[in-house]
Amino acid sequence: MADVLTEWGLPDGADTADTVRLIVSELATNAVQHTFGKSPTFTVDVRLERDERLRIGVTDSHPRWPRRLPAAVQQDNGRGMVIIRWLAAECGGRLSVTPTPEGGKTVWIALPWTTPVQT
């Protein structure tokens, strides 16, 4: 994924690259942990739309949608969506969830893309 972001004009050491990697990591972790083994696979989709918006989607086949949990101090997990929403908002982006035809869902993050594409 880092190679793709670099091809699209994002320097490898850029803060945005780290943010994208963390978002993908958190979304993938959620797809594994919160489907309780009922979604044996998941897919990651990273798209650059019209050189204006980066869309990151993680799709799994489990019908349960993400839930916003309180970030209690004693809680060891459950903060993934809080982190993802915060990271997206910090970059001027947003989170959405769409159903798949097979009954699962895709969690999407859309971030503004301000880095010019180098050709």
Side-chain angles (χ1 to χ4, degrees):
M1 181 179 62
D3 291 342
V4 171
L5 295 175
T6 302
E7 284 178 29
W8 291 342
L10 187 66
D12 188 38
D15 288 344
T16 303
D18 291 338
T19 299
V20 169
R21 282 191 283 271
L22 182 54
I23 288 172
V24 170
S25 173
E26 289 292 334
L27 288 174
T29 298
N30 284 352
V32 172
Q33 285 186 335
H34 298 290
T35 62
F36 308 107
K38 295 179 182 169
S39 179
T41 62
F42 65 90
T43 59
V44 177
D45 186 17
V46 180
R47 305 175 186 177
L48 182 58
E49 297 176 343
R50 297 187 328 244
D51 293 339
E52 295 174 356
R53 181 175 40 193
L54 180 68
R55 287 183 42 94
I56 305 159
V58 174
T59 303
D60 66 60
S61 60
H62 195 274
R64 182 174 152 207
W65 284 35
R67 288 184 276 167
R68 188 180 295 190
L69 301 174
V73 175
Q74 310 89 324
Q75 204 169 317
D76 289 335
N77 60 20
R79 293 187 184 101
M81 291 305 290
V82 172
I83 292 168
I84 293 165
R85 285 180 191 276
W86 184 84
L87 288 169
E90 278 292 302
C91 294
R94 62 182 181 84
L95 178 142
S96 61
V97 183
T98 58
T100 64
E102 302 78 26
K105 78 275 186 190
T106 303
V107 179
W108 290 102
I109 300 294
L111 303 174
W113 187 261
T114 56
T115 303
V117 175
Q118 298 173 355
T119 56

